[in-house]
Amino acid sequence: MVVLDRNDVEDMATPPRSRWTTEAERLRLVRFHQAQELIAAVSGGKNSLGCDVAGNIGGGVYAMLALIREGKGRVWKSATNAFLPSVIVSAHNIDCSRGPAGHYTLVEPGGKAFFLIPACVV
């Protein structure tokens, strides 16, 4: 289970102030929409940790990925009943230049991959 601070998601979901003109501003607009999708997926229920539960987050998965990459997401491992001390985000062919598909993989300490997020498909 990925645990995010709602404030971080809401900060990402704050509308941009103007039309984008740079690549950084364009990415900010994309993250804005992804974060809105993530917030919209929250069901109102709580899990065993007292966190809001999100259902099918759709494109919000990329907002989640961005927050994990920034060190703002934590992963709860139910098998050990504890948070992982760290998570590595591994990128594989994310521009589809070396084949028909690319993805990000979340990897726990020790190298065990536990979550795959599509990056591109051609």
Side-chain angles (χ1 to χ4, degrees), residues 68 87 95:
I68 290 170
V87 175
D95 62 358

Side-chain angles (χ1 to χ4, degrees), residues 4-16 26-43 52-68 70 72:
L4 304 171
D5 185 317
R6 186 173 186 99
N7 291 327
D8 291 332
V9 180
E10 288 176 350
D11 286 348
M12 190 181 278
T14 302
R26 185 189 73 79
L27 290 174
R28 168 75 179 90
L29 179 63
V30 169
R31 291 285 179 254
F32 159 72
H33 289 292
Q34 293 167 343
Q36 284 187 319
E37 197 167 345
L38 183 56
I39 289 170
V42 174
S43 66
D52 293 328
V53 175
N56 180 355
I57 63 174
V61 72
Y62 299 101
M64 178 193 77
L65 177 64
L67 290 169
I68 290 170
E70 292 172 13
K72 296 179 179 177

Side-chain angles (χ1 to χ4, degrees), residues 1-2 48-49 75-84 108 114:
M1 167 178 43
V2 175
S48 61
L49 297 176
V75 175
W76 179 264
K77 187 171 181 179
S78 58
T80 59
N81 207 29
F83 284 105
L84 292 175
E108 66 181 70
F114 63 91

